[in-house]
């Protein structure tokens, strides 16, 4: 993965993770704050309701007793009831009509939601709610018999909704009459709830208490001042959801902004970091494929240190290559001297034998001297010619020039070599195919895939291919009537090309394989053994490799790998440049 992509990925991940961590932390903290705000509002509403109900209870405590003790309409109602001997039906109709008007007006004056004038048997003589007049309520009969005092909770089933209820009674001459008043709790809860933005409702007796949900927060409040009163306080979570939604949008926007800034910084850093590295890599490739020189490190102390280390390595490699080349030359000279001595020693034996025989015949004045002279001189001349050929081939091997590199079309070069070797045989075919398809059977054939131009010496490449093709034809022609050689060219990974020369001959003998590329190692009767050695030297000097393997169906296979950019090895030590890498600063 490129450095720029790594920096972009790293900065992007850091920005996303940091934003997610901060955002989630902030979101959870905001939720807790808002939830605690809900609890505070409910607590404040609880305190407000308690205070208000305490005030209402205190006000109601002393509201009705004065009416029962001193009020005129209560006294008149008691007198009328006393005349009827406690029977409400025996009361004067006119008095009852007057009571029906007086009780509602009295309730309004006292700000009571309900006010009833009740006889001792529970009959309602007059009430703020006219529909209740004449009804008999045993609960009220029991209530007015009890002593008055603090307000009590009137259940919802008794009065429609929970209320604070107080009463007073007037008893004389065995006749009892009472007033029962009530003030609803609902308005108090609504007023306090509006003040604190909390919905307050009295709990319904016999129903289970509600619980909190995703939609609202619910608490059940109890009041010791009014036994039996439970109030349900609920706060909608909708503001929380809206606040969290706004917070999520803000976090997402902030995260996108941070991510964009991080990616921008990563791009800037990637360019500032990768540019000197790419430049150094480019200079390094030029060093490996072109003239050796020092590379220049730009972009920071680390890059300069890397360039300095590379330059030191190049210097050391150049020195090692010089030493290695000298060692190889010495070893090569020893091996060549041994090979030449061996090759020249063989023809010297028949020359020596012929000369010694002539001398003996001459000394004895043998008549066979003249007959043997022609044979002996012919043997000496042939062996001398053989020695001359050995010296000539060795001179060619020793004087092989360095490759003159230029862009070469190897396919065109191979086509020319194949055509040259196929031309003498009138019936032979030169076949070239594109792609991976096979070729028609022929004496010499070429199969080539598209490859780039290769930096090489054209003449030396011709020499290598000519040697390999000719060797294949010679080997196959020695045992077959249809000798055939195929040349295959194609690309390889890492900017390389491959040349494969395959024949249908017997292949190389097993004992010759280890010495196949040694000078003067040959199995041919007239060969010098320098052809493959020269081919190997040319391939090595082009930065490539050459190898042999036996074909599965018989025959020899030679493979040549060449770099497209030419030989990467240094031919001379790197020279100095005018710009030196920056040295590490002193601590």
């Amino acid at each position: 993965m490129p450095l720029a992509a790594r920096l972009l990925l790293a900065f992007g991940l850091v920005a996303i993770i940091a934003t997610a961590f901060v955002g989630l932390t902030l979101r959870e903290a905001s939720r807790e704050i808002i939830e605690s705000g809900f609890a505070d509002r409910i607590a404040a509403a609880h305190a407000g309701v308690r205070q208000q109900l305490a005030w209402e209870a205190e006000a109601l405590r002393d509201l009705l007793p004065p009416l029962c003790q001193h009020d005129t309409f209560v006294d008149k109602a008691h007198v009328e009831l006393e005349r009827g001997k406690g029977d409400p039906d025996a009361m004067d109709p006119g008095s009852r009509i007057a009571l029906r008007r007086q009780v509602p007006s009295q309730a309004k004056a006292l700000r009571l939601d309900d006010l009833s004038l009740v006889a001792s048997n529970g009959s309602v003589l007059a009430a703020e709610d006219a529909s209740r007049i004449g009804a008999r309520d045993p609960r009220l009969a029991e209530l007015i018999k009890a002593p008055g005092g603090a307000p009590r909770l009137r259940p919802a089933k008794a009065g429609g909704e929970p209320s604070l209820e107080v009463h007073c009674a007037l008893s004389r001459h065995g006749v009892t009459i009472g007033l029962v008043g009530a003030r609803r709790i609902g308005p108090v809860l609504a007023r306090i709830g509006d003040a604190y933005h909390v919905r307050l409702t009295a709990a319904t007796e016999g129903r289970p208490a509600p619980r909190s949900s995703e939609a609202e927060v619910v608490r059940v409040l109890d009041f010791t001042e009014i036994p039996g009163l439970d109030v349900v306080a609920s706060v909608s979570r909708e503001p929380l959801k809206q606040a969290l939604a706004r917070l999520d949008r803000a976090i997402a926007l902030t995260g996108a902004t941070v991510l964009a800034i991080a990616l921008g910084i990563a791009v800037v850093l990637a360019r500032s970091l990768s540019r000197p590295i790419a430049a150094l890599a480019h200079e390094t490739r030029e060093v490996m494929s072109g003239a050796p020189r020092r590379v220049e490190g730009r972009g920071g102390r680390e890059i300069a240190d890397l360039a300095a280390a590379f330059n030191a390595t190049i210097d050391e490699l150049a020195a090692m290559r010089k030493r290695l080349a000298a060692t190889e030359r010495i070893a090569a000279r020893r091996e060549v001297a041994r090979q030449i001595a061996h090759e020249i020693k063989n023809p010297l034996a028949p020359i020596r034998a012929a000369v010694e025989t002539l001398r003996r015949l001459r000394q004895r004045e043998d008549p066979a001297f003249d007959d043997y002279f022609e044979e002996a001189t012919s043997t000496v001349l042939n062996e001398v010619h053989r020695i001359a050929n050995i010296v000539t081939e060795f001179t060619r091997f020793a004087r092989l020039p360095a490759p003159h590199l230029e862009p070469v079309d190897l396919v065109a070069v191979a086509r020319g070599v194949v055509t040259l070797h196929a031309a003498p045989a009138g019936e032979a075919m030169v076949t070239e195919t594109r792609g991976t398809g096979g070729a028609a059977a022929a004496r010499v054939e070429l199969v080539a895939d598209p490859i780039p131009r290769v930096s090489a010496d054209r003449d030396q490449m011709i020499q290598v291919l000519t040697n390999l093709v000719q060797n294949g034809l010679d080997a196959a022609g020695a045992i077959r009537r249809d000798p055939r050689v195929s040349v295959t060219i194609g690309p390889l990974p890492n900017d390389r090309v491959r040349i494969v020369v395959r024949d249908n001959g017997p292949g190389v003998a097993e004992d010759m394989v280890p010495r196949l590329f040694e000078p003067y190692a040959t199995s041919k009767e007239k060969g010098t053994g320098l052809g493959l050695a020269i081919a190997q030297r040319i391939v090595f000097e082009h930065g490539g490799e050459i190898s042999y393997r036996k074909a599965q169906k018989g025959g020899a296979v030679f493979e040549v790998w060449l770099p497209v950019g030419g030989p990467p090895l240094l031919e001379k030590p790197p020279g100095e440049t005018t710009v030196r890498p920056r040295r590490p600063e002193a601590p």
Side-chain angles (χ1 to χ4, degrees):
M1 184 181 294
L3 177 61
R6 292 184 180 183
L7 286 176
L8 288 174
L9 181 60
F11 274 71
L13 287 177
V14 169
I16 293 173
I17 292 173
T19 303
F21 177 76
V22 174
L24 290 176
T25 303
L26 181 60
R27 194 178 192 276
E28 190 61 27
S30 301
R31 174 187 288 275
E32 291 178 358
I33 291 173
I34 297 175
E35 291 278 3
S36 64
F38 291 163
D40 293 340
R41 285 159 53 186
I42 292 175
H46 188 191
V49 171
R50 175 173 290 173
Q51 183 178 7
Q52 184 67 27
L53 290 179
W55 183 85
E56 291 285 347
E58 187 65 26
L60 288 174
R61 180 194 299 271
D62 301 325
L63 189 62
L64 293 184
L67 295 179
C68 290
Q69 295 174 4
H70 308 293
D71 195 271
T72 305
F73 84 92
V74 175
D75 289 339
K76 288 182 178 180
H78 186 270
V79 170
E80 289 295 330
L81 189 60
E82 186 177 352
R83 288 177 183 175
K85 298 180 180 181
D87 183 8
D89 296 332
M91 292 180 64
D92 180 56
S95 298
R96 296 185 65 173
I97 293 174
L99 288 175
R100 291 178 182 179
R101 292 196 302 267
Q102 290 176 346
V103 168
S105 61
Q106 192 69 36
K108 186 176 181 180
L110 297 176
R111 295 188 303 108
L112 292 174
D113 298 307
D114 185 23
L115 181 62
S116 301
L117 182 63
V118 183
S120 59
N121 61 356
S123 296
V124 179
L125 303 177
E128 189 272 337
D129 183 6
S131 62
R132 296 179 58 207
I133 297 175
R136 181 174 294 183
D137 190 345
R139 188 186 71 84
L140 295 181
E142 293 294 330
L143 182 63
I144 61 175
K145 294 176 180 178
R152 66 187 68 189
L153 178 66
R154 184 171 72 180
K157 61 183 180 180
E161 64 177 283
S163 303
L164 291 178
E165 187 178 61
V166 293
H167 72 279
C168 67
L170 175 62
S171 296
R172 286 193 305 229
H173 305 105
V175 177
T176 301
I177 193 171
L179 283 175
V180 179
R183 187 172 290 172
R184 295 196 306 271
I185 297 177
V188 175
L189 299 180
R191 186 170 62 253
I192 302 299
D194 292 340
Y196 294 99
H197 303 286
V198 179
R199 187 163 63 91
L200 300 172
T201 56
T204 303
E205 185 178 356
R207 292 186 181 180
R211 297 181 179 180
S212 298
S213 63
E214 291 294 328
E216 59 182 1
V217 179
V218 178
R219 298 287 187 274
V220 178
L221 312 178
D222 60 337
F223 297 89
T224 57
E225 297 83 356
I226 304 175
L229 176 61
D230 290 329
V231 175
V232 177
S234 59
V235 179
S236 174
R237 292 183 184 268
E238 189 62 28
L240 172 62
K241 295 180 180 178
Q242 295 176 356
L244 292 180
R246 291 194 300 270
L247 183 60
D248 290 341
R249 289 193 294 270
I251 291 173
L253 180 61
T254 303
T257 304
V258 172
L259 180 60
I261 295 174
L263 293 181
I265 295 174
V267 170
V268 174
L269 285 178
R271 289 182 177 178
S272 62
L273 291 176
S274 62
R275 190 175 300 163
I277 296 177
L280 181 61
H282 177 70
E283 292 187 7
T284 303
R285 286 192 295 271
E286 289 184 350
V287 167
M288 298 304 295
S289 61
R293 59 183 177 83
R294 286 183 173 271
V295 298
E296 180 182 356
R298 306 181 183 90
R301 182 165 57 187
E302 293 78 6
I303 301 299
D305 292 343
L306 177 60
F310 179 81
N311 291 333
T313 304
I314 290 296
D315 294 340
E316 183 64 23
L317 287 175
M320 290 177 61
R321 193 175 189 278
K322 289 181 63 178
R323 294 192 296 269
L324 181 61
T327 304
E328 289 179 348
R329 282 195 297 270
I330 294 173
R333 288 168 184 168
R334 290 176 179 175
E335 179 62 21
V336 169
R338 184 184 67 82
Q339 294 285 354
I340 292 176
H342 175 74
E343 294 294 329
I344 293 179
K345 183 178 179 181
N346 291 334
L348 286 179
I351 292 174
R352 180 178 179 180
V355 172
E356 288 178 348
T357 302
L358 285 175
R359 286 173 61 87
R360 287 195 302 270
L361 294 177
R362 179 65 178 170
Q363 289 176 359
R364 297 198 305 262
E365 295 182 357
D366 192 320
F369 176 81
D370 292 335
D371 296 335
Y372 185 70
F373 181 79
E374 183 65 26
E375 179 183 353
T377 55
S378 177
T379 300
V380 170
L381 288 177
N382 288 336
E383 296 301 327
V384 169
H385 180 68
R386 182 179 172 189
I387 293 174
N389 286 338
I390 293 173
V391 173
T392 300
E393 290 294 327
F394 172 72
T395 302
R396 288 177 56 199
F397 177 71
R399 293 181 179 179
L400 186 67
H404 176 67
L405 302 179
E406 60 180 351
V408 174
D409 185 355
L410 281 183
V411 176
V413 170
R415 188 184 304 116
V417 173
V418 169
T419 302
L420 179 64
H421 285 80
E427 73 281 5
M429 296 177 61
V430 180
T431 306
E432 179 180 350
T433 61
R434 297 287 178 181
T436 58
R443 184 179 180 185
V444 183
E445 60 186 7
L446 173 64
V447 179
D449 289 336
I451 61 171
R453 288 181 174 269
V454 178
S455 179
D457 188 309
R458 181 183 181 86
D459 294 336
Q460 292 187 4
M461 288 294 102
I462 292 175
Q463 186 175 359
V464 171
L465 287 173
T466 300
N467 183 276
L468 296 178
V469 171
Q470 188 61 54
N471 285 351
L473 290 175
D474 293 343
I479 64 169
R480 303 179 68 97
R481 299 182 60 183
D482 59 339
R484 184 160 52 92
V485 175
S486 66
V487 180
T488 305
I489 300 179
L492 285 178
N494 301 325
D495 293 330
R496 296 184 302 164
V497 296
R498 179 175 63 179
I499 305 172
V500 180
V501 180
R502 182 183 287 103
D503 62 59
N504 61 344
V508 179
E510 293 296 333
D511 58 340
M512 280 294 299
V513 173
R515 304 173 51 242
L516 190 58
F517 296 101
E518 291 183 2
Y520 304 108
T522 180
S523 59
K524 298 180 182 179
E525 295 181 358
K526 299 182 180 180
T528 62
L530 289 174
L532 288 178
I534 293 174
Q536 185 189 51
R537 177 173 172 180
I538 291 174
V539 172
F540 281 2
E541 289 184 348
H542 279 73
E545 298 179 13
I546 183 171
S547 66
Y548 162 80
R549 61 180 170 86
K550 189 175 182 64
Q552 294 181 354
K553 297 182 179 180
V557 179
F558 286 89
E559 295 190 11
V560 177
W561 297 273
L562 294 173
V564 174
L569 299 178
L570 298 175
E571 297 297 333
K572 58 183 178 179
E576 294 290 338
T577 58
T578 56
V579 181
R580 293 180 177 271
R582 181 166 56 86
R583 296 182 178 275
E585 299 178 359

